[in-house]
Amino acid sequence: MSSEDTYFLELIQKYLDKRISATEEEELYHLMTLEESRIDLYLYLTKENQALKNNPIALELLFESSKKKYKTTEITASEPKEKRNTPLSSKNYGRLLIAAALLLMMSFGGVYLFQHMLSGRIVKLTSAKGERKHFRLADGTEIWLNSGSQLEYDINYGLSNRDVTLSGEAYFKVTKNKKLPFHVNAYGNTIEVLGTQFNVQAYAEEQKMETTLFEGKVNLKVKDKGSVHEFIMHPGEKIEVANSLATGMHIKKSNIAKESTDGAANISQISHENREPSEALWTKNKLVFQDDPIDIMGRKIERWYNKTIRIENKNILNQSYTGVFQEKTAREVLDILIKTGANLHYKERRDTIILY
């Protein structure tokens, strides 16, 4: 039995004993989305066959019918043979009982009922400041979360939908599934794909969303003043959607290499030049500044190193910074910028860096 299966059985036993925490319960539901047999077991033990659950003789018969298959999971190869017939502890007995039920219930239905029971439950994947994490969802889709980011999806992900909601930045490598398109909801907009690789940056504090497509094709649906604009993106394109506090959501133009024909979006062609595009370098643990004003650079440093940045000199607000840094501390990054000509000074006070 895999370690994941063992952990699942421990969680479901806690659930049955009514001693499971809220976090553990969310983990239990997530593990159930990965294998239908776990859904069947959950339904079997919580909603069906109550008489069997409360009948010790029936439970023993159920256990004995599959004990041979599972007994090797509780012993080691080095144990003497005479120990193999020793009575199991109540803890191991209960664990093997659940494992036996798991085996016998694989032929039972229940996915639809499970979806109905758990509809609306949300799984949250997070990456705190100073962290970057990788996740693989039930359908094989891979997601990299940048610092200070969160991804949410309904417990029915992969069963009735493939919808996720992003706050922060993420790189997606989506598994193809024509029957269930993959949707990313971020910053009030929606990205629809079948199978592709792309990066989305949608930090609330940046008041904009950037989508960069590396492989495949996506349909970006942007809400603007009550209407929806759709943009079919091709590899190498980047779309930036900005927000104005005065007028609300709208598509903002910036300096670009290629503009859209209708003038509604800001589309630029990213440069590969036989190297990885800068928009994906963070997944390789590289901190990137692209002609960033000092306030944007400061927020990147805050998220990357889990620091607090304060800017005390308004005269440096019009400065911009460019660079790629790997395996450097926040102090080393600032020292390199200063040595390469940045008119910048800083001082540290515990976890706060003051720029002046």
Side-chain angles (χ1 to χ4, degrees), residues 329-345:
T329 64
R331 173 180 287 186
E332 288 172 336
V333 167
L334 294 172
D335 285 342
I336 291 173
L337 290 174
I338 292 171
K339 289 178 181 178
T340 54
N343 183 20
L344 181 68
H345 303 279

Side-chain angles (χ1 to χ4, degrees), residues 28-42:
L28 173 64
Y29 295 138
H30 175 62
L31 288 173
M32 280 190 278
T33 67
L34 303 182
E35 287 189 19
E36 291 187 6
S37 59
R38 295 173 184 167
I39 299 174
D40 295 331
L41 176 61
Y42 174 88

Side-chain angles (χ1 to χ4, degrees), residues 25-64:
E25 189 172 358
E26 292 293 351
E27 292 174 351
L28 173 64
Y29 295 138
H30 175 62
L31 288 173
M32 280 190 278
T33 67
L34 303 182
E35 287 189 19
E36 291 187 6
S37 59
R38 295 173 184 167
I39 299 174
D40 295 331
L41 176 61
Y42 174 88
L43 293 171
Y44 181 72
L45 294 177
T46 58
K47 296 295 178 183
E48 301 176 2
N49 296 289
Q50 293 296 319
L52 178 60
K53 282 175 57 182
N54 298 322
N55 187 330
I57 297 177
L59 285 177
E60 284 205 21
L61 291 174
L62 176 64
F63 168 69
E64 291 296 335

